[in-house]
Amino acid sequence: MNDNLINLLEQAKEKIGDENATIMAENYGLDDYDPVKMKAICCFHKEKTPSLSYDPQSYKFHCFACGATVDIIDSYIHKGLTYNSACREVLSRADIDYSFLDEPKDRGTYRYPKQENGNLEPVYQYLEKRKISKETIDILDISSDSKGNIVFNYYDTDEQLVLVKYRPTHTVEKGQPKTWCQNGADTSNVLWNMNHVRPTGTLLICEGEIDCASFIQAGFYQSVSIPLGAQNLKWIEENWDFLQGFDTIIIAGDADKAGKKMIKEACARLSFTNVKYIEYPTECIKRDGDNNPVKRIRTKDANDVLQAFGESYTFNLVLNAKETPIESVVK
């Protein structure tokens, strides 16, 4: 991450002062925000007593219940801005000039994909069944093609569209492809949603786009997806400089053989930082409002968990990510 930009952003937050809290409350939709006590009901988990408190020293909101800590940049990303756009907005509010790179990375003879702009209604309906809202779909720039398939747009950190992937909005018959890339365009190993991620702190890396969208639906916005399946680890090399900026990286692979192998190999190769992984409940009992068991559910990924147990449970999977075991140490 650019040190000069970091310093300028800190200067900007200082110039904006306590208005940081007002702007953040508006961006996060904190309707009950008390500007005197500078507290509100946390928007990252369900609660009845306000635990989200603004710190005028750090210019951040911190939740003393779930541990979430966010600043004005995070709030603009929450609204759907890319990281670069959020930085531009904050610097502009503080009347600070900064020149962002206007020319995207030169990829030589790379065949760039074309933008798809089909009817989004089938996509909204399909993902709504999987507990992903229209707001989350729009934030993630998910679109549709002329046949009603889901379109996942992959942008690099220069906000250049470099990969377009498709997924049907209907049940896939056995033997049929579940996902595919745009015909006639090249493929890149960039991470999906990386242009919306703040390149510092904690990063959650998912095995698929819908799992990534599930964690974002649950409130964890520092989430990306690998591009081309669990067996392809070329994304590590492609995004090496980007990954170097994070203090903690959490790997969320599916609870199957391929997903577990991805977790093991990725954790080993990303050991330059604090690496954790998410362990999904392979079998749980869903209960009703009176805590009576309703049915037994098998879960293998984030979207299964989101559908079965809701947003708070899914968010807590990130908070309770497992430490990477050191295999040479035994009891």
Side-chain angles (χ1 to χ4, degrees):
M1 191 173 177
N2 188 303
D3 289 340
N4 183 38
L5 178 57
I6 294 174
N7 293 332
L8 289 176
L9 290 171
E10 290 304 314
Q11 292 176 31
K13 288 189 284 186
E14 185 176 353
K15 286 185 68 175
I16 295 170
D18 287 346
E19 193 183 350
N20 278 281
T22 305
I23 296 168
M24 292 165 66
E26 181 180 342
N27 288 347
Y28 281 114
L30 304 178
D31 296 331
D32 66 324
Y33 174 64
D34 185 337
V36 177
K37 296 181 179 180
M38 293 187 167
K39 297 184 71 174
I41 296 291
C42 181
C43 55
F44 300 105
H45 77 287
K46 292 182 179 179
E47 64 175 8
K48 295 181 179 179
T49 303
S51 299
L52 192 67
S53 180
Y54 178 72
D55 178 10
Q57 306 301 318
S58 65
Y59 312 107
K60 295 178 180 179
F61 270 120
H62 175 74
C63 179
F64 290 92
C66 72
T69 301
V70 291
D71 68 1
I72 189 172
I73 300 167
D74 298 311
S75 75
Y76 278 117
I77 292 174
H78 172 84
K79 281 193 68 176
L81 270 65
T82 64
Y83 172 70
N84 286 345
S85 296
C87 291
R88 289 189 184 97
E89 182 66 29
V90 173
L91 293 174
S92 175
R93 281 186 172 271
D95 294 322
I96 295 176
D97 293 327
Y98 180 79
S99 178
F100 285 85
L101 180 66
D102 293 326
E103 291 295 325
K105 177 181 178 181
D106 181 11
R107 294 177 179 266
T109 58
Y110 192 85
R111 296 178 299 170
Y112 288 94
K114 297 177 181 178
Q115 192 84 44
E116 296 272 18
N117 293 297
N119 179 17
L120 263 170
E121 198 55 39
V123 175
Y124 287 143
Q125 292 177 6
Y126 174 78
L127 291 179
E128 183 182 16
K129 294 176 182 177
R130 304 190 70 162
K131 303 299 182 183
I132 297 172
S133 68
K134 178 180 182 297
E135 290 74 22
T136 297
I137 294 168
D138 292 342
I139 285 172
L140 292 170
D141 192 37
I142 296 174
S143 55
S144 173
D145 66 4
S146 59
K147 298 180 180 179
N149 295 307
I150 305 172
V151 174
F152 298 109
N153 297 301
Y154 279 70
Y155 297 88
D156 61 19
T157 52
D158 295 327
E159 302 183 16
Q160 179 77 30
L161 181 65
V162 295
L163 173 65
V164 169
K165 279 182 65 180
Y166 303 83
R167 180 190 179 103
T169 51
H170 56 77
T171 303
V172 180
E173 296 182 8
K174 190 174 182 179
Q176 295 297 313
K178 199 172 184 179
T179 63
W180 64 93
C181 299
Q182 189 174 101
N183 188 33
D186 287 334
T187 57
S188 172
N189 283 286
V190 299
L191 297 166
W192 185 61
N193 195 49
M194 67 187 298
N195 60 315
H196 283 102
V197 165
R198 186 176 189 149
T200 185
T202 299
L203 178 69
L204 174 64
I205 302 177
C206 305
E207 186 177 330
E209 297 89 356
I210 291 182
D211 287 336
C212 176
S214 299
F215 280 114
I216 291 171
Q217 180 70 41
F220 196 83
Y221 282 72
Q222 288 281 100
S223 303
V224 297
S225 170
I226 62 174
L228 302 171
Q231 296 180 349
N232 184 345
L233 294 179
K234 291 181 180 179
W235 55 268
I236 297 178
E237 180 181 348
E238 174 76 15
N239 303 283
W240 185 255
D241 291 340
F242 173 75
L243 296 170
Q244 292 280 323
F246 296 95
D247 301 321
T248 300
I249 294 177
I250 303 173
I251 308 296
D254 290 356
D256 56 18
K257 186 175 180 180
K260 291 176 180 178
K261 182 179 180 182
M262 183 196 84
I263 290 173
K264 183 176 181 180
E265 294 182 0
C267 286
R269 294 181 61 179
L270 297 172
S271 59
F272 60 82
T273 189
N274 180 30
V275 189
K276 299 181 179 182
Y277 68 97
I278 284 180
E279 189 172 74
Y280 295 116
T282 54
E283 189 172 83
C284 295
I285 298 175
K286 188 173 183 179
R287 299 178 180 273
D288 61 18
D290 297 322
N291 204 34
N292 298 313
V294 178
K295 62 179 178 179
R296 191 176 297 274
I297 299 173
R298 296 187 64 84
T299 58
K300 65 176 178 58
D301 58 32
N303 191 248
D304 286 347
V305 172
L306 178 66
Q307 292 185 66
F309 306 109
E311 296 178 9
S312 294
Y313 190 103
T314 307
F315 186 83
N316 283 331
L317 288 177
V318 182
L319 299 182
N320 299 314
K322 307 290 184 181
E323 298 287 345
T324 306
I326 303 174
E327 294 185 357
S328 60
V329 177
V330 296
K331 291 184 180 180

